[in-house]
């Protein structure tokens, strides 16, 4: 199974990198851009019979290590990799 | 807690740490102190009175500051030590490790300015009844160096409220006269928080580096009070 994980700062927490990029975009003339949030993208392969079991394991992995629930949210998508 | 005589002090050595020798050296200046490093792969911390988690970039700050160090084999024993009431002090990256392993609440985020800040700042002592501040006066202002990119203390509103209500904020960024105000906040930390302790008071984490300001040859001895406190 292949999994893709996205980790971002929780809503309401100042994302300083996102703000910097937002300001740069405004300087470039893209004045309609708002709420830029920057996160981490993590890909991994995982042994497992089905997507549901794999998803459960990845959720656990995200809570324990890949994200810090105090400040971050995560999203997971699992595919069979084909 | 009774005063420590001949304190046994350990400084954990994570790969990527860079303040472990300074912290060990400052500790060794305490009369009668027995100091040693603790290797990150050690299964046990052994017989100690105080454990320091030093500053640096443990595991290259991979993923998040302190996130990997938290799972070092030695941390299980450090957590056990803390849960039994042992004194644990995390400085800079050590503070980040303490939040990652939930010995302290909250998290340390990228500085508001996005810059790595290396300079002297001032902090005010908010409580002087924990092991690391006993030799200091409440309200005292210390000049201490900071050197971090991720030092913006954050905690969810309800956690922050609990911290304040319990008096768990130990040091706050202030100006040289002790005024806590936004201009004196180097990194955007909530409530100017520079360091906190757990509810029991035996675990303490702070972003400034007292070990870098602990003897006259360094040009600043304001940090020595933190070490001296350990024997009072």
């Amino acid at each position: 199974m292949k999994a893709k994980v996205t980790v971002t700062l929780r809503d309401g927490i100042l994302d300083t990198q996102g703000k910097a990029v937002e300001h740069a975009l405004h300087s470039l003339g893209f004045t309609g851009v708002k709420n830029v949030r920057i996160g981490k993208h993590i890909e991994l392969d995982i042994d497992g019979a089905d997507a549901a079991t794999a998803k459960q394991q990845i959720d656990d992995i995200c809570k324990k290590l890949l994200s810090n629930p105090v400040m971050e949210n995560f999203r997971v998508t699992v595919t069979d990799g084909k | 807690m009774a005063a420590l005589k001949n304190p046994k002090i350990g400084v954990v050595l994570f790969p990527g740490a860079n303040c472990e020798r300074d912290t060990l050296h400052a500790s060794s200046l305490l009369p009668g102190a027995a100091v040693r490093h603790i290797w990150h792969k050690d299964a046990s911390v052994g017989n100690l009175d105080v454990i320091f988690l030093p500053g640096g970039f443990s595991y290259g700050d991979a993923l998040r500051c302190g996130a990997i160090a938290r799972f070092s084999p030695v941390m299980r024993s450090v957590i056990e030590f803390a849960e039994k009431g042992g004194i644990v002090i995390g400085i800079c990256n050590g503070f980040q490790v303490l939040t990652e392993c939930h010995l302290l609440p909250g998290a340390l985020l990228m500085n508001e300015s996005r810059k790595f800040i290396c300079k002297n700042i001032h902090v005010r002592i908010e409580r002087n009844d924990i092991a690391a501040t006993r030799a200091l006066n409440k309200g005292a202002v210390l000049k201490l160096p900071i050197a971090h990119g991720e030092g913006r203390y954050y905690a969810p509103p309800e956690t922050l409220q609990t911290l304040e209500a319990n008096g768990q904020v130990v040091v706050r960024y202030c100006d040289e006269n002790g005024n806590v105000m936004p201009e004196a906040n180097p990194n955007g930390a909530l409530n100017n928080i520079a360091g906190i302790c757990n509810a029991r008071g035996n675990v303490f984490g702070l972003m400034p580096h007292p070990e870098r300001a602990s003897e006259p040859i360094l040009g600043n001895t304001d940090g020595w009070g933190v070490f001296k406190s350990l024997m009072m």
Side-chain angles (χ1 to χ4, degrees):
Chain A
M1 295 285 164
K2 287 194 178 295
K4 291 180 179 177
V5 178
T6 306
V7 180
T8 49
L9 283 175
R10 297 185 88 108
D11 293 340
I13 295 184
L14 173 68
D15 178 352
T16 54
Q17 292 189 87
K19 269 277 170 276
V21 170
E22 192 174 308
H23 289 152
L25 289 171
H26 291 173
S27 305
L28 281 170
F30 297 104
T31 48
V33 175
K34 287 186 286 222
N35 299 325
V36 179
R37 308 289 284 175
I38 293 183
K40 296 183 188 107
H41 176 79
I42 301 156
E43 294 186 3
L44 46 98
D45 293 352
I46 185 160
D47 295 335
D50 61 284
T53 318
K55 170 85 165 55
Q56 214 164 22
Q57 264 195 65
I58 309 267
D59 280 349
D60 197 29
I61 287 171
C62 286
K63 283 178 199 153
K64 284 198 173 126
L65 178 61
L66 297 186
S67 81
N68 178 346
V70 174
M71 58 177 179
E72 292 167 327
N73 290 321
F74 64 85
R75 288 195 305 274
V76 179
T77 52
V78 178
T79 60
D80 59 10
K82 280 173 198 157
Chain B
M1 189 181 285
L4 288 175
K5 268 191 184 166
N6 304 323
K8 295 182 284 296
I9 301 174
V11 180
V12 176
L13 183 43
F14 296 113
N18 62 12
C19 299
E20 75 285 357
R21 281 178 184 241
D22 310 52
T23 308
L24 197 79
H25 172 72
S27 303
S28 75
L29 301 175
L30 290 168
V35 301
R36 62 178 168 87
H37 282 307
I38 312 164
W39 187 234
H40 67 112
K41 285 189 175 165
D42 286 354
S44 163
V45 295
N47 181 18
L48 290 169
D49 299 308
V50 181
I51 295 175
F52 278 99
L53 304 185
F57 302 86
S58 57
Y59 300 86
D61 279 349
L63 195 62
R64 291 181 309 278
C65 306
I68 312 289
R70 171 195 170 189
F71 295 103
S72 281
V74 76
M75 281 309 293
R76 195 170 301 182
S77 180
V78 171
I79 291 167
E80 228 168 76
F81 177 83
E83 282 168 353
K84 283 185 193 149
I87 298 161
V88 179
I89 302 170
I91 301 171
C92 197
N93 189 221
F95 184 12
Q96 293 162 342
V97 176
L98 288 175
T99 60
E100 281 286 337
C101 70
H102 309 304
L103 282 176
L104 291 175
L108 282 314
L109 297 167
M110 187 184 284
N111 296 340
E112 205 167 58
S113 63
R114 300 184 304 280
K115 288 177 186 150
F116 187 96
I117 306 170
C118 184
K119 66 173 187 183
N120 285 316
I121 49 84
H122 293 89
V123 291
R124 190 174 76 190
I125 302 296
E126 301 289 89
R127 60 183 284 184
N128 63 347
D129 61 342
I130 68 165
T133 58
R134 242 176 247 144
L136 298 157
N137 292 321
K138 196 173 170 188
V141 176
L142 308 183
K143 182 172 85 177
L144 294 175
I146 55 167
H148 61 247
E150 286 89 1
R152 173 166 50 117
Y153 183 78
Y154 168 83
E158 59 278 14
T159 308
L160 194 66
Q161 210 172 357
T162 310
L163 278 177
E164 294 286 1
N166 290 345
Q168 287 173 245
V169 179
V170 180
V171 278
R172 259 185 245 273
Y173 299 113
C174 63
D175 71 3
E176 57 187 11
N177 300 314
N179 301 306
V180 172
M181 50 189 193
E183 295 79 7
N185 187 341
N187 52 28
L190 289 180
N191 297 12
N192 281 42
I193 289 172
I196 56 165
C197 64
N198 61 349
R200 196 169 169 183
N202 63 308
V203 179
F204 172 43
L206 76 170
M207 288 314 295
H209 286 273
E211 80 283 9
R212 295 190 191 177
S214 56
E215 56 183 324
I217 198 172
L218 298 172
N220 182 359
T221 55
D222 280 13
W224 175 242
V226 169
F227 291 90
K228 199 169 107 183
S229 292
L230 298 174
M231 294 192 71
M232 295 188 69

